[in-house]
Amino acid sequence: MKNRLKDLRGERGWSQAHLAEQLDVSRQTVISLENGKYDPSLPLAFKIARLFGQPIEAIFDDGVEG
């Protein structure tokens, strides 16, 4: 799944480790999310959206037109 996580993190000047700490996940999870190799669980997606103050749809793109 495509996402804007890396861009949003970069805009804030956060390291992957800092974001991982904020989300209570490993840095490896953040790397996998940013590379599109791991789709977050729904609770994690909500946590990410709240952290960045944006709707889930503004961060994650499932590629489905509609």
Side-chain angles (χ1 to χ4, degrees), residues 17-62:
H18 178 77
L19 179 57
E21 185 178 308
Q22 296 295 310
L23 297 173
D24 196 29
V25 298
S26 70
R27 187 169 83 65
Q28 189 61 43
T29 297
V30 170
I31 291 168
S32 294
L33 284 165
E34 288 184 353
N35 291 330
K37 296 182 179 185
Y38 172 71
D39 292 338
S41 64
L42 194 52
L44 180 56
F46 273 106
K47 197 172 191 178
I48 291 167
R50 280 193 302 272
L51 181 64
F52 289 109
Q54 297 192 17
I56 291 173
E57 298 87 359
I59 300 173
F60 297 97
D61 179 6
D62 64 2

